[in-house]
Every structure is written in structure tokens, then in C-alpha cells.
Amino acid sequence: MFPEHMLSVRATVEPGREAEFNRWYDSEHVPDAVRMLPGCVGAARYRVVLGDGSHQYMALYAFESATRLAAALSGPEIKELIKIYDRDIGAFSTRTRTTYERVLLHLPGAR
């Protein structure tokens, strides 16, 4: 339910280009990333509702292990995905990548 290792990509999009950005991200980029990144077990996207204004969207990519996440971040697949992003939507969006390791899992009923 909550993976131990995640890659977060936070993006900001120029006004008036969000529909194009979302169409491309949902129909092309996320499926490609899940298919191409070794050890990626799934992804989800979110839109900011309340925040500091530093970004509008976040994509989370789940990985089965720290080793697989590190391999994905240093492999040729992410370089290709970055190249495609820059070519297709980089002119009107920016993004930052951050990795996370789970430090706690607390489920209902747990003590």
C-alpha cells in the first residue's frame, strides 16, 4: 500500500498549458516511465490543492528496493525519459526530482 522507496517529480506548468501537459504526462510519460525504469512497480499523479506555490503537480513512482531506485536513477532509461520530457514539454514546464525512503508505516489498529 505504501512503498518503501519512492521517486517524486514535482512540476510547474505555464498558464494555459496545463491541459496539454496533463494529456502528455498521463497518456505518454507515466506509462513509459513505469515500463522503462527498472524496479518501478507503479506510479500516481497528484495536483496541489493547498501549498506553498513551488509546484502544481507531483508524480510519485514506487520502487521495490533502494537498490532498484538507485539503478533507475543512474541508468540510461531515466536519461532517455528526461530527453523526451525536455523535447515534448520542457519549453513550458519545469520539474525537480527527489527520492524518499519510508521511515514509518502505521496502519489503523496498529499500536
Side-chain angles (χ1 to χ4, degrees), residues 38-96:
C40 183
V41 296
R45 289 190 63 231
Y46 301 86
R47 177 182 17 251
V48 172
V49 176
L50 297 172
D52 62 8
S54 64
H55 63 284
Q56 296 157 288
Y57 295 94
M58 179 176 62
L60 294 175
Y61 300 90
F63 287 83
E64 53 195 27
S65 70
T67 302
R68 298 304 297 265
L69 175 54
L73 292 175
S74 63
E77 298 89 355
I78 198 160
K79 291 173 180 65
E80 180 64 18
L81 289 165
I82 290 168
K83 181 176 137 185
I84 294 167
Y85 183 107
D86 289 342
R87 181 194 71 206
D88 291 354
I89 62 170
F92 59 88
S93 67
T94 60
R95 82 279 192 192
T96 58

Coordinates of all heavy atoms in Angstrom, one line a residue, residues 38-96:
P38 N 13.8 0.4 -14.3 CA 13.9 -0.9 -13.7 C 13.5 -0.8 -12.2 O 13.9 0.1 -11.5 CB 15.4 -1.2 -13.8 CG 16.1 0.0 -14.3 CD 15.1 1.0 -14.8
G39 N 12.7 -1.8 -11.8 CA 12.2 -1.9 -10.5 C 11.0 -1.0 -10.1 O 10.6 -1.0 -9.0
C40 N 10.5 -0.2 -11.0 CA 9.4 0.6 -10.8 C 8.1 -0.2 -10.8 O 7.9 -1.0 -11.7 CB 9.2 1.7 -11.8 SG 7.8 2.9 -11.5
V41 N 7.4 -0.2 -9.7 CA 6.2 -1.1 -9.5 C 4.9 -0.3 -9.7 O 3.8 -0.9 -9.6 CB 6.2 -1.8 -8.2 CG1 7.4 -2.7 -8.1 CG2 6.2 -0.8 -7.0
G42 N 4.9 1.0 -10.0 CA 3.7 1.7 -10.2 C 3.9 3.2 -10.0 O 5.0 3.7 -9.5
A43 N 2.9 4.0 -10.4 CA 3.0 5.4 -10.3 C 1.6 6.0 -10.0 O 0.6 5.4 -10.4 CB 3.6 6.0 -11.6
A44 N 1.6 7.2 -9.5 CA 0.4 8.0 -9.3 C 0.8 9.5 -9.5 O 1.9 9.9 -9.2 CB -0.2 7.8 -7.9
R45 N -0.2 10.3 -9.9 CA 0.0 11.7 -10.1 C -1.0 12.5 -9.2 O -2.1 12.0 -9.0 CB -0.3 12.1 -11.5 CG 0.8 11.7 -12.4 CD 0.7 12.3 -13.8 NE 0.9 13.8 -13.7 CZ 0.0 14.7 -14.2 NH1 -1.0 14.3 -14.9 NH2 0.2 16.0 -14.1
Y46 N -0.6 13.6 -8.7 CA -1.4 14.5 -7.8 C -1.3 15.9 -8.3 O -0.3 16.4 -8.8 CB -0.9 14.4 -6.4 CG -0.9 13.0 -5.9 CD1 0.1 12.1 -6.1 CD2 -2.0 12.5 -5.1 CE1 0.1 10.8 -5.6 CE2 -2.1 11.2 -4.7 CZ -1.0 10.3 -4.9 OH -1.0 9.1 -4.4
R47 N -2.4 16.7 -8.0 CA -2.4 18.1 -8.3 C -2.4 18.8 -6.9 O -3.2 18.3 -6.0 CB -3.7 18.5 -9.1 CG -3.8 20.0 -9.3 CD -5.1 20.4 -10.0 NE -6.1 19.5 -10.1 CZ -6.5 18.8 -11.2 NH1 -5.9 19.0 -12.4 NH2 -7.5 18.0 -11.2
V48 N -1.7 19.8 -6.8 CA -1.7 20.6 -5.5 C -3.0 21.2 -5.3 O -3.6 21.8 -6.2 CB -0.5 21.6 -5.5 CG1 -0.6 22.5 -4.3 CG2 0.8 21.0 -5.6
V49 N -3.5 21.1 -4.0 CA -4.8 21.7 -3.7 C -4.4 22.9 -2.8 O -4.9 24.0 -3.0 CB -5.7 20.7 -2.9 CG1 -6.9 21.5 -2.4 CG2 -6.0 19.6 -3.8
L50 N -3.6 22.7 -1.7 CA -3.1 23.8 -0.9 C -1.6 23.6 -0.8 O -1.2 22.5 -0.6 CB -3.7 23.7 0.5 CG -5.2 23.9 0.7 CD1 -5.7 23.6 2.1 CD2 -5.6 25.3 0.3
G51 N -0.9 24.7 -0.9 CA 0.6 24.5 -0.9 C 1.3 25.8 -0.9 O 0.6 26.9 -0.8
D52 N 2.6 25.8 -1.0 CA 3.4 27.0 -1.0 C 3.6 27.6 -2.4 O 4.3 28.6 -2.5 CB 4.8 26.7 -0.3 CG 5.6 25.7 -1.1 OD1 5.2 25.3 -2.2 OD2 6.6 25.2 -0.6
G53 N 3.1 27.0 -3.4 CA 3.2 27.6 -4.7 C 4.5 27.2 -5.5 O 4.7 27.7 -6.6
S54 N 5.2 26.3 -4.9 CA 6.5 25.9 -5.5 C 6.3 25.0 -6.7 O 7.2 24.8 -7.5 CB 7.4 25.3 -4.5 OG 6.9 24.1 -4.0
H55 N 5.1 24.3 -6.8 CA 4.8 23.4 -7.9 C 3.3 23.2 -7.9 O 2.6 23.5 -7.0 CB 5.6 22.1 -7.7 CG 5.2 21.3 -6.5 ND1 5.6 21.7 -5.3 CD2 4.4 20.3 -6.4 CE1 5.1 20.8 -4.4 NE2 4.3 20.0 -5.0
Q56 N 2.9 22.7 -9.1 CA 1.4 22.5 -9.3 C 1.1 21.0 -9.3 O 0.0 20.6 -8.9 CB 1.0 23.0 -10.6 CG 1.1 24.5 -10.7 CD 1.2 25.0 -12.1 OE1 2.2 24.8 -12.8 NE2 0.1 25.6 -12.6
Y57 N 2.0 20.1 -9.7 CA 1.8 18.7 -9.8 C 2.9 17.9 -9.2 O 4.1 18.4 -9.1 CB 1.7 18.3 -11.3 CG 0.5 18.9 -12.0 CD1 0.6 20.1 -12.7 CD2 -0.8 18.3 -11.9 CE1 -0.5 20.7 -13.3 CE2 -1.9 18.9 -12.5 CZ -1.7 20.1 -13.2 OH -2.8 20.7 -13.8
M58 N 2.6 16.7 -8.8 CA 3.6 15.8 -8.3 C 3.3 14.4 -8.8 O 2.1 13.9 -8.8 CB 3.6 15.7 -6.8 CG 4.6 14.7 -6.2 SD 4.7 14.8 -4.4 CE 3.1 14.2 -4.0
A59 N 4.3 13.7 -9.4 CA 4.2 12.3 -9.8 C 5.0 11.5 -8.8 O 6.2 11.9 -8.5 CB 4.7 12.1 -11.2
L60 N 4.5 10.4 -8.3 CA 5.2 9.5 -7.4 C 5.4 8.2 -8.1 O 4.4 7.6 -8.6 CB 4.4 9.3 -6.1 CG 4.3 10.5 -5.2 CD1 3.4 10.2 -4.0 CD2 5.6 11.0 -4.7
Y61 N 6.6 7.7 -8.1 CA 7.0 6.4 -8.7 C 7.5 5.5 -7.6 O 8.4 5.9 -6.9 CB 8.0 6.6 -9.8 CG 7.6 7.5 -10.9 CD1 7.8 8.9 -10.8 CD2 6.9 7.0 -12.0 CE1 7.4 9.7 -11.9 CE2 6.5 7.8 -13.0 CZ 6.7 9.2 -12.9 OH 6.3 10.0 -13.9
A62 N 6.9 4.4 -7.4 CA 7.2 3.4 -6.4 C 8.2 2.4 -6.9 O 8.2 1.9 -8.0 CB 6.0 2.7 -5.9
F63 N 9.2 2.1 -6.0 CA 10.3 1.1 -6.3 C 10.3 0.0 -5.3 O 10.1 0.2 -4.1 CB 11.6 1.8 -6.4 CG 11.7 2.6 -7.7 CD1 11.2 3.9 -7.8 CD2 12.3 2.1 -8.8 CE1 11.2 4.7 -8.9 CE2 12.3 2.8 -10.0 CZ 11.8 4.1 -10.1
E64 N 10.7 -1.2 -5.7 CA 10.7 -2.3 -4.9 C 11.9 -2.4 -3.9 O 11.8 -3.1 -2.9 CB 10.7 -3.6 -5.7 CG 11.7 -3.7 -6.8 CD 11.5 -4.8 -7.8 OE1 10.3 -5.1 -8.1 OE2 12.5 -5.2 -8.4
S65 N 12.9 -1.6 -4.1 CA 14.1 -1.5 -3.2 C 14.9 -0.3 -3.5 O 14.8 0.3 -4.5 CB 14.9 -2.8 -3.4 OG 15.6 -2.7 -4.7
A66 N 15.7 0.0 -2.5 CA 16.6 1.2 -2.6 C 17.6 0.9 -3.8 O 18.0 1.8 -4.5 CB 17.4 1.4 -1.3
T67 N 18.0 -0.3 -3.9 CA 19.0 -0.7 -5.0 C 18.4 -0.5 -6.4 O 19.0 0.1 -7.3 CB 19.4 -2.2 -4.8 OG1 20.0 -2.3 -3.5 CG2 20.4 -2.6 -5.9
R68 N 17.1 -0.9 -6.5 CA 16.4 -0.7 -7.8 C 16.2 0.8 -8.1 O 16.3 1.3 -9.3 CB 15.1 -1.4 -7.9 CG 15.2 -2.9 -7.7 CD 16.1 -3.6 -8.8 NE 15.7 -3.5 -10.1 CZ 15.0 -4.4 -10.8 NH1 14.6 -5.5 -10.2 NH2 14.7 -4.2 -12.1
L69 N 15.9 1.6 -7.1 CA 15.7 3.0 -7.3 C 17.0 3.7 -7.7 O 17.0 4.5 -8.6 CB 15.1 3.7 -6.0 CG 15.0 5.2 -6.0 CD1 14.2 5.7 -7.2 CD2 14.4 5.7 -4.7
A70 N 18.1 3.3 -7.0 CA 19.4 3.9 -7.4 C 19.8 3.5 -8.8 O 20.3 4.3 -9.5 CB 20.4 3.4 -6.4
A71 N 19.5 2.3 -9.2 CA 19.8 1.8 -10.5 C 19.0 2.6 -11.5 O 19.5 3.0 -12.6 CB 19.6 0.3 -10.7
A72 N 17.7 2.8 -11.2 CA 16.9 3.6 -12.2 C 17.3 5.0 -12.3 O 17.3 5.5 -13.4 CB 15.4 3.6 -11.6
L73 N 17.8 5.6 -11.3 CA 18.3 7.0 -11.3 C 19.6 7.2 -12.0 O 20.0 8.3 -12.4 CB 18.4 7.6 -9.9 CG 17.0 7.8 -9.3 CD1 17.2 8.3 -7.8 CD2 16.1 8.8 -10.1
S74 N 20.4 6.1 -12.2 CA 21.7 6.2 -12.8 C 21.7 5.5 -14.2 O 22.8 5.5 -14.8 CB 22.8 5.6 -11.9 OG 22.5 4.2 -11.7
G75 N 20.6 4.9 -14.6 CA 20.6 4.1 -15.8 C 20.3 5.0 -17.1 O 19.9 6.1 -17.0
P76 N 20.4 4.4 -18.2 CA 20.1 5.1 -19.5 C 18.6 5.4 -19.7 O 18.3 6.3 -20.4 CB 20.6 4.1 -20.5 CG 20.6 2.7 -19.9 CD 20.9 3.0 -18.4
E77 N 17.8 4.6 -19.0 CA 16.3 4.8 -19.1 C 15.9 6.2 -18.7 O 15.1 6.8 -19.3 CB 15.5 3.7 -18.4 CG 15.8 2.3 -18.9 CD 17.0 1.6 -18.2 OE1 17.7 2.3 -17.4 OE2 17.3 0.4 -18.5
I78 N 16.4 6.6 -17.5 CA 15.9 7.9 -17.0 C 16.5 9.0 -17.8 O 15.9 10.0 -18.1 CB 16.3 8.1 -15.5 CG1 15.4 9.3 -15.0 CG2 17.8 8.3 -15.3 CD1 15.3 9.3 -13.5
K79 N 17.7 8.8 -18.4 CA 18.3 9.8 -19.3 C 17.4 10.0 -20.5 O 17.2 11.1 -21.0 CB 19.7 9.4 -19.6 CG 20.7 9.6 -18.5 CD 22.0 9.0 -18.8 CE 23.0 9.1 -17.7 NZ 22.7 8.3 -16.5
E80 N 16.9 8.9 -21.0 CA 16.0 8.9 -22.2 C 14.7 9.6 -21.8 O 14.2 10.4 -22.6 CB 15.8 7.5 -22.7 CG 14.9 7.4 -23.9 CD 15.4 8.1 -25.2 OE1 16.7 8.4 -25.3 OE2 14.6 8.4 -26.1
L81 N 14.1 9.3 -20.7 CA 12.9 9.9 -20.3 C 13.1 11.4 -20.1 O 12.2 12.2 -20.5 CB 12.4 9.3 -18.9 CG 11.8 7.8 -19.1 CD1 11.7 7.2 -17.7 CD2 10.5 7.8 -19.8
I82 N 14.2 11.8 -19.5 CA 14.5 13.3 -19.4 C 14.6 13.9 -20.7 O 14.0 15.0 -21.0 CB 15.7 13.5 -18.5 CG1 15.5 13.1 -17.1 CG2 16.2 14.9 -18.6 CD1 16.7 13.0 -16.2
K83 N 15.2 13.3 -21.7 CA 15.4 13.8 -23.0 C 14.0 14.0 -23.7 O 13.7 15.0 -24.3 CB 16.3 12.9 -23.8 CG 16.5 13.3 -25.3 CD 17.5 12.3 -25.9 CE 17.1 12.0 -27.3 NZ 17.9 11.0 -27.9
I84 N 13.2 13.0 -23.5 CA 11.8 13.1 -24.1 C 11.0 14.2 -23.5 O 10.3 15.0 -24.1 CB 11.1 11.7 -24.0 CG1 11.8 10.7 -24.9 CG2 9.6 11.8 -24.4 CD1 11.4 9.2 -24.6
Y85 N 11.1 14.3 -22.1 CA 10.4 15.3 -21.4 C 10.8 16.7 -21.9 O 10.0 17.5 -22.3 CB 10.6 15.2 -19.9 CG 9.9 16.2 -19.0 CD1 8.9 15.8 -18.2 CD2 10.3 17.5 -19.0 CE1 8.2 16.7 -17.4 CE2 9.6 18.4 -18.2 CZ 8.6 18.0 -17.4 OH 7.9 18.9 -16.6
D86 N 12.1 16.9 -22.0 CA 12.6 18.2 -22.4 C 12.2 18.5 -23.9 O 11.8 19.7 -24.2 CB 14.1 18.2 -22.4 CG 14.7 18.2 -21.0 OD1 13.9 18.6 -20.0 OD2 15.9 17.9 -20.8
R87 N 12.1 17.5 -24.7 CA 11.7 17.7 -26.1 C 10.2 18.0 -26.2 O 9.8 18.9 -26.9 CB 12.0 16.5 -26.9 CG 11.7 16.6 -28.4 CD 11.7 15.2 -29.1 NE 10.5 14.4 -28.6 CZ 10.5 13.1 -28.5 NH1 11.6 12.4 -29.0 NH2 9.5 12.4 -28.1
D88 N 9.4 17.3 -25.5 CA 8.0 17.4 -25.6 C 7.3 18.5 -24.8 O 6.4 19.2 -25.3 CB 7.3 16.1 -25.3 CG 7.6 15.0 -26.3 OD1 8.3 15.3 -27.4 OD2 7.2 13.8 -26.1
I89 N 7.7 18.7 -23.6 CA 7.0 19.7 -22.8 C 8.0 20.6 -22.0 O 7.5 21.4 -21.2 CB 6.0 19.0 -21.8 CG1 6.7 18.1 -20.9 CG2 4.9 18.4 -22.6 CD1 5.7 17.6 -19.8
G90 N 9.2 20.4 -22.1 CA 10.2 21.2 -21.4 C 10.2 22.7 -21.6 O 10.6 23.5 -20.8
A91 N 9.7 23.1 -22.8 CA 9.6 24.5 -23.1 C 8.6 25.3 -22.2 O 8.7 26.5 -22.1 CB 9.3 24.7 -24.6
F92 N 7.6 24.5 -21.6 CA 6.6 25.2 -20.9 C 6.4 24.6 -19.5 O 5.4 24.9 -18.8 CB 5.3 25.3 -21.6 CG 4.7 24.0 -22.0 CD1 3.8 23.3 -21.1 CD2 5.0 23.4 -23.2 CE1 3.3 22.1 -21.5 CE2 4.4 22.2 -23.6 CZ 3.6 21.6 -22.7
S93 N 7.4 23.8 -19.0 CA 7.3 23.3 -17.7 C 8.7 23.1 -17.1 O 9.6 23.0 -17.8 CB 6.5 22.0 -17.7 OG 7.3 21.0 -18.4
T94 N 8.7 23.1 -15.7 CA 9.9 22.8 -15.0 C 9.6 21.7 -14.0 O 8.5 21.5 -13.6 CB 10.5 24.0 -14.3 OG1 9.5 24.4 -13.3 CG2 10.8 25.1 -15.2
R95 N 10.6 21.0 -13.6 CA 10.4 19.9 -12.6 C 11.7 19.7 -11.8 O 12.8 20.0 -12.2 CB 10.0 18.6 -13.3 CG 11.1 17.7 -13.9 CD 11.5 18.2 -15.2 NE 12.3 17.2 -15.9 CZ 12.9 17.6 -17.0 NH1 12.8 18.8 -17.4 NH2 13.7 16.8 -17.7
T96 N 11.4 19.1 -10.6 CA 12.5 18.7 -9.7 C 12.2 17.3 -9.2 O 11.1 16.9 -9.1 CB 12.6 19.6 -8.4 OG1 11.3 19.6 -7.8 CG2 12.9 21.0 -8.8

